Amino acid sequence: MAYPYVCKADVEKKYDGSGFSKIEMPLDADFEEIRRCDIKFYRCNLKAGCSVSPQLEEDKIVMLIFNGKRSYVHCGDEVFHVTEPSFFIPDFDKQSYRVGAVEDAEFIMGVFGMNEWDKEHYVRWHKHLPFFVPYTEAVQYDQDCKQPGTRSWTILQGMQLGHVTAGVVYGIGAGTDEKGHPEVHQWNYCLGNSEFVLDVEGESEKQGPGDFSFIYGGRDHKLLAAPEKEVFYVWIEWYTSDDLTEYWLSSCRNETPKEAYARILEKQNKEAK
């Protein structure tokens, strides 16, 4: 059976007079809790030589995910050059910014609502903004669900900025074979020369550059490339619990994800009785 929660890259773009196209990718129609969190993703395209100043958000986290085509972000006195897949997070509505394209370029814009826990935690501690990083300058990590030869980078770690986290996975003839985490929903954006299969509990879909997909929390999933084929994608995750205090405590205790999930689920089960 084909996996239904995929937005293919070959959708027709809707360019305005300034050479900018912005199309919402609503993969959450069947999931009220996603809409309740006010999470939205947009496929944004800029023609070479054009630029755009995205709308500023006062109390929403905005993340731009660039596919690596030559472009730039002009923010205040700084110009960030995109020459590989890169990430930019503005400082809410405190400073405007402009995105320009040197060649035809694409970026995904993720917009994430902030609940009361996010706002309170942000006051105490948060990632410095604005934030820009090419993926190869991020911190590499290893994980037991990754096949040999797979490389991974963490872009935004848990609770550095609300409920959202992000990273990058790359490999040839490799990829991810992972048990679902009930605590996180996941979106994926394919990069480079991706040619792999997304499988979510037996439902599968071939993936190529620019494809975008959603995996509901708790569903087992695989993103695997055949020999000599490339798996290259961004993952974005969103914690399902409204209050992340227990996850924050797990970080302070240096628990492994497995230890943290087991303890938190045990506590949730006790509270539910």
Side-chain angles (χ1 to χ4, degrees), residues 13-83:
K13 311 303 186 293
K14 301 177 180 179
Y15 289 101
D16 60 20
S18 63
F20 178 59
S21 172
K22 180 181 179 182
I23 302 172
E24 185 176 356
M25 296 184 289
L27 291 174
D28 55 13
D30 296 334
F31 308 104
E32 173 60 33
E33 59 272 40
I34 303 298
R35 297 196 300 275
R36 179 176 62 83
C37 294
D38 199 12
I39 301 171
K40 295 182 182 298
F41 287 93
Y42 303 88
R43 184 186 302 278
C44 300
N45 294 83
L46 264 176
K47 291 184 177 180
C50 297
S51 64
V52 64
S53 294
Q55 175 182 323
L56 301 180
E57 300 287 353
E58 178 182 1
D59 58 358
K60 295 180 181 179
I61 300 163
V62 175
M63 177 186 293
L64 306 189
I65 306 167
F66 293 88
N67 69 349
K69 298 298 183 181
R70 288 182 299 149
S71 51
Y72 62 87
V73 180
H74 186 185
C75 182
D77 296 331
E78 295 185 277
V79 178
F80 304 108
H81 296 280
V82 176
T83 57

